[in-house]
Amino acid sequence: MRAHQIRFIVLLLVVPLGAYSLFVVYPYVWAIGISLTEWRGLATPPSWIGLANFAAILGDPGFWNALRNNGVYLLFVPVVTVTLALVLAALICQRCTRLTEFYRVVFLFPQVMSIVVVAILWGYAFHPRIGLLNSALEVFGINGPSWLGDPNLAQASLVAVIVWNSVGFHTALFIAAMRAVPETYYEAARLDGAGNWRMFRDITLPLLRDPVRTSLMFMAFEAFDLFAITRIMTGGGPNHATDVLATYVYDQAFSLSRFGYASALAVVMFALMLGFSAVMLLVMRENKVEFA
Amino acid sequence: MSVFTVSRRTVLKGGAAALGAMALSPLAALAQTARFPIAEAARNPLNLAEGTAIEGIFFEGGYGIDYINHAADVMKELHAGTQISVTGIQGVADRLRPRFIAGNPPDVIDNAGAGSMDTSALRTEGQMADLAPLMAAPALDTPDKTFAETLFAGSQTGGVYEGKQVSLTAPYTVHGIWYDQALMRENGWEYPRTWSAMLDFCETLKSAGHTPWAYGGRNAAHYLVRGIVYPLIYKLAGRQAVDDIMTAKEGAWLKPEVLEAARMVAELGKGGFIMDGSEALSHTEAQAEWLLGGAVFYPCGSWIENEMRDVIPQGYEMTMSPIPGPTEETFNSVLAVGSETFFVPSAAKNITGGMEFLRCLFSRSTAAFYAETAGVIMPVQGVEVETLSSAVKSAMAAVTEAGEDVFPLDLPYQAVWQAWGALSPELLQGRLSPEDYVAGIEEASASARQAA
């Protein structure tokens, strides 16, 4: 590479890397520092307490509760979303017509909407007295439950909203992938007497392996966050039934003024994410070998 | 010229807050601003330098912001050269924390509402300035009295930390059970005066097609504690028990009387007396439903009239009574306390300016303005009011009838408030036993004690 090319590249990278260091790397490092202190987030400087915060996390039922809720999301959200998206995409692609394009656009709507708007709208849908859901149930004489007020229903209600919000995007991805499958494969299969289900299972699905895996990963990372939707729709309630790590960290810091402890929680969350990403990368690599 | 006229006025007096008529003493010999007469000694006792800037940031909630603006106007007239800026905000902690960290807080703050700063953290860090000079200064518009002497007796003890007055609370708020007196009259009903009578009355209401109780569990479930559980604890176990709760003393929630109070409250849920869906409503949603007839009773503080002013139906006679206790004798005792915390940060640039603003805010002029425009009571003695709504009248009558039996709630620990909000709906829904309920709050109380 010539000198002026390198200069050009460096010049291009300075601004984004500088911004990244200032707004991402620096706060991370700073948070790790604060996690070793006790700090009320006021003017008195943080005081060093070593690893005491991390020891406290291990015995904090609030942390384990939030982690378990993240785990529940991790278990359900990716699988449900991707399965549903596959079914929808397959149904739409049964016959690729001009309507397919229309559906692709319609399915993208929820993804385009701000998550804040989605959360508020669904909050109304779940409203126990004037909500869409309970009004509909009332028609059948059913006294609807208090979706977001019942600890046994709140998280399931949120899963429904998250799936609704993301399923369209993945459907659109899968439609695109399905249309890329050469029609000749299906023709050949049909000549051999294969039915729709058989073709889906043995042709479409194997050829969609890559986009499906990408979608699963994408949703798995999403399951680790979910701050906005939780904060707006339930605030982590009722009685912490929908707390996730992100809202728990926020609560410890900004409601209870425990910034040192909250930073330690954030560091743990960071480590968990890092570990999870490493596992995911490994899984990907194994598969690549298989293809090679 | 005085803005006060003397006839047909009600005078609000402190402490026991007796309602009675008292004529305003003549103030002819005094100098005056455009608004009210003012003694020379009361003009600038804190020696505020002219030309300084004062910045105030205030929680703007159910009580509005008009009274803050009024106090600012009073102060502008008093100190023509100073620049005063006042701002109303919500989410006080999020907005002001960066300024505390930067060592640049405003000169006076109203810390209240959802997302307020942890008062105990502010206190233990010494972030609140000692208000001693203000307390000893001559009051703005009550002649021959110090500022401290004009406040309702005993109304500011919650703001004393390590022997220093570091914050003031206002508006004076009476907490109890709110209902429509017109509905009661039309049906020939009487507000029940014992707990068992209350449960019987809830049955009566149910058979008449009414839902007895509503609350907003999504963000205001702590109203259940402040309106019902906590007063019941006072009625069952007396002052020491509630003092222990306020100081997060070990075992405060493990006393048998406290468990009994939790059991009593759980009976409301067991009897099916709670409006469906209450646990998922915000306080304003629940209050709107309650006003439109969705429920008969709502536990709340006396800001509710001002907060819901636009929604109150024609003919609704908003009235407050204390929660009935185990016996007739315990009926009258009532929770009354300043509901928002005003303080001057010790790191403020203009501490004197902040205190001077508080002197204008806790003045008869501002108090009279506030009572007349919004029916809200500042804890300032000798304020004259032309008319009082049924809501304010009933709240003040409750305080009068309680006499010495008025008790406060000054709990500076967010962790405990949070536990109240999280656990109370579970108790009412029957998903949490009274035993687990008090144990859960004791736990939150312990963690608050350790953090302080």
Side-chain angles (χ1 to χ4, degrees):
Chain A
M1 215 182 291
R2 283 186 214 137
H4 77 267
Q5 279 179 319
I6 293 173
R7 253 206 321 276
F8 182 66
I9 291 169
V10 168
L11 208 70
L12 280 182
L13 282 177
V14 160
V15 174
L17 280 183
Y20 187 78
S21 314
L22 183 65
F23 295 114
V24 180
V25 178
Y26 171 71
Y28 275 29
V29 173
W30 191 232
I32 292 171
I34 291 176
S35 73
L36 302 171
T37 67
E38 184 172 357
W39 187 39
R40 315 269 343 226
L42 291 168
T44 307
S47 63
W48 176 269
I49 54 166
L51 294 173
N53 283 328
F54 292 94
I57 288 174
L58 292 178
D60 179 0
F63 164 75
W64 293 109
N65 170 60
L67 188 64
R68 196 193 53 230
N69 289 341
N70 274 117
V72 169
Y73 284 126
L74 189 62
L75 215 59
F76 286 100
V77 167
V79 175
V80 174
T81 310
V82 169
T83 310
L84 206 60
L86 271 174
V87 170
L88 287 171
L91 287 177
I92 290 167
C93 272
Q94 282 249 308
R95 266 203 202 89
C96 282
T97 61
R98 235 179 292 162
L99 266 181
T100 311
E101 283 307 308
F102 170 74
Y103 280 126
R104 275 175 71 179
V105 174
V106 169
F107 275 128
L108 272 176
F109 277 163
Q111 189 75 23
V112 176
M113 278 204 292
S114 151
I115 189 70
V116 177
V117 176
V118 169
I120 290 173
L121 286 178
W122 274 97
Y124 281 121
F126 283 128
H127 193 287
R129 298 181 65 80
I130 53 167
L132 202 66
L133 274 170
N134 282 0
S135 304
L137 287 175
E138 214 177 300
V139 174
F140 301 104
I142 301 168
N143 196 6
S146 157
W147 300 97
L148 300 176
D150 185 334
N152 302 314
L153 293 175
Q155 199 179 11
S157 305
L158 289 190
V159 168
V161 178
I162 297 159
V163 168
W164 175 88
N165 188 49
S166 355
V167 76
F169 174 72
H170 298 283
T171 306
L173 279 184
F174 295 157
I175 291 175
M178 283 177 189
R179 300 183 83 182
V181 177
E183 187 58 27
T184 49
Y185 291 10
Y186 295 110
E187 275 167 17
R190 226 169 276 134
L191 283 178
D192 289 342
N196 280 341
W197 165 244
R198 188 75 201 280
M199 286 195 286
F200 177 76
R201 198 188 65 189
D202 290 338
I203 301 175
T204 316
L205 213 50
L207 288 171
L208 250 61
R209 188 196 291 238
D210 270 343
V212 164
R213 201 172 41 217
T214 311
S215 289
L216 281 173
M217 261 185 70
F218 191 83
M219 290 311 293
F221 281 115
E222 182 124 341
F224 260 111
D225 176 20
L226 300 174
F227 175 80
I229 203 163
T230 307
R231 177 110 186 110
I232 295 164
M233 290 189 68
T234 63
N239 194 17
H240 305 289
T242 59
D243 257 342
V244 286
L245 284 175
T247 54
Y248 191 62
V249 169
Y250 179 90
D251 210 36
Q252 290 293 321
F254 298 102
S255 305
L256 302 182
S257 268
R258 299 177 68 192
F259 280 80
Y261 187 65
S263 297
L265 283 167
V267 169
V268 169
M269 199 175 152
F270 175 72
L272 283 172
M273 290 278 274
L274 211 64
F276 182 71
S277 309
V279 170
M280 282 308 222
L281 278 175
L282 271 178
V283 172
M284 290 287 274
R285 193 172 298 160
E286 269 168 27
N287 277 315
K288 266 189 192 134
V289 172
E290 187 185 312
F291 276 123
Chain B
M1 201 187 77
S2 165
V3 293
F4 297 147
T5 55
V6 180
S7 61
R8 289 182 296 107
R9 286 181 177 271
T10 310
V11 179
L12 301 171
K13 272 174 35 174
L19 290 167
M22 187 181 87
L24 186 64
S25 53
L27 297 162
L30 304 167
Q32 59 187 58
T33 70
R35 269 168 211 282
F36 51 86
I38 182 164
E40 200 49 49
R43 189 161 278 282
N44 191 10
L46 297 169
N47 292 319
L48 178 66
E50 291 295 320
T52 56
I54 294 143
E55 185 197 10
I57 297 205
F58 304 90
F59 169 66
E60 183 176 355
Y63 283 128
I65 194 76
D66 289 347
Y67 71 118
I68 297 289
N69 290 327
H70 179 91
D73 289 344
V74 168
M75 190 163 172
K76 276 176 200 154
E77 275 175 36
L78 202 59
H79 303 283
T82 52
Q83 284 142 30
I84 301 157
S85 87
V86 292
T87 316
I89 62 167
Q90 275 114 34
V92 176
D94 283 354
R95 296 279 297 272
L96 290 184
R97 185 180 311 286
R99 301 202 43 188
F100 274 93
I101 294 172
N104 176 34
D107 303 311
V108 54
I109 294 171
D110 171 11
N111 182 35
S116 56
M117 287 184 284
D118 191 87
T119 310
S120 111
L122 289 165
R123 282 176 177 183
T124 46
E125 286 221 346
Q127 291 292 330
M128 295 170 144
D130 184 0
L131 299 178
L134 169 67
M135 300 307 279
L140 184 72
D141 49 4
T142 306
D144 306 323
K145 288 246 172 101
T146 66
F147 178 79
E149 285 164 356
T150 60
L151 303 176
F152 282 7
S155 68
Q156 303 300 333
T157 49
V160 177
Y161 179 70
E162 292 183 340
K164 293 177 201 144
Q165 187 82 43
V166 291
S167 61
L168 298 173
T169 52
Y172 195 63
T173 302
V174 190
H175 294 271
I177 311 306
W178 296 81
Y179 54 93
D180 177 12
Q181 183 59 44
L183 175 80
M184 303 291 266
R185 200 172 44 239
E186 281 158 23
N187 289 284
W189 290 330
E190 288 278 334
Y191 184 83
R193 293 180 69 86
T194 64
W195 184 258
S196 60
M198 171 55 94
L199 294 178
D200 292 344
F201 184 58
C202 287
E203 288 293 351
T204 309
L205 286 174
K206 254 176 92 175
S207 50
H210 292 279
T211 304
W213 290 85
Y215 70 96
R218 185 166 143 53
N219 63 343
H222 58 274
Y223 288 15
L224 291 168
V225 178
R226 199 163 43 193
I228 310 176
V229 182
Y230 184 84
L232 280 179
I233 292 171
Y234 178 88
K235 285 164 199 247
L236 285 159
R239 178 65 192 249
Q240 188 58 46
V242 297
D243 282 348
D244 290 352
I245 286 171
M246 287 192 279
T247 51
K249 201 170 161 199
E250 199 178 340
W253 283 88
L254 301 180
K255 296 180 179 128
E257 295 92 343
V258 175
L259 179 62
E260 178 60 21
R263 278 209 188 103
M264 288 160 79
V265 176
E267 283 167 28
L268 294 178
K270 269 194 211 130
F273 300 145
I274 310 285
M275 185 173 82
D276 280 344
S278 284
E279 68 273 26
L281 299 181
S282 73
H283 68 295
T284 39
E285 286 173 336
Q287 285 159 204
E289 291 260 1
W290 161 70
L291 283 173
L292 298 173
V296 175
F297 295 128
Y298 185 77
C300 195
S302 47
W303 63 75
I304 189 164
E305 184 191 30
N306 202 39
E307 185 170 45
M308 302 308 287
R309 198 168 288 279
D310 299 335
V311 192
I312 301 172
Q314 199 85 47
Y316 197 101
E317 282 177 38
M318 198 184 273
T319 305
M320 193 221 88
S321 291
I323 186 81
T327 59
E328 173 85 37
E329 291 72 48
T330 53
F331 177 79
N332 280 334
S333 62
V334 72
L335 169 58
V337 71
S339 64
E340 302 183 8
T341 303
F342 293 81
F343 71 100
V344 177
S346 51
K349 281 199 284 296
N350 194 348
I351 290 181
T352 308
M355 288 194 208
E356 180 68 2
F357 184 85
L358 289 178
R359 205 169 66 97
C360 296
L361 184 64
F362 288 75
S363 67
R364 285 206 308 198
S365 167
T366 304
F369 169 84
Y370 206 10
E372 257 161 40
T373 53
V376 176
I377 310 302
M378 290 294 282
V380 177
Q381 301 197 23
V383 176
E384 305 186 334
V385 192
E386 184 86 38
T387 48
L388 284 174
S389 66
S390 70
V392 180
K393 254 188 225 157
S394 66
M396 295 316 290
V399 173
T400 308
E401 271 160 39
E404 295 293 298
D405 234 358
V406 175
F407 55 97
L409 172 55
D410 284 297
L411 182 79
Y413 306 110
Q414 281 295 336
V416 179
W417 286 98
Q418 239 180 36
W420 288 359
L423 300 180
S424 301
E426 296 300 290
L427 176 70
L428 278 189
Q429 300 297 322
R431 287 189 285 257
L432 196 66
S433 71
E435 286 79 8
D436 291 342
Y437 176 76
V438 295
I441 298 174
E442 175 70 23
E443 208 173 289
S445 191
S447 82
R449 189 167 59 240
Q450 281 152 18

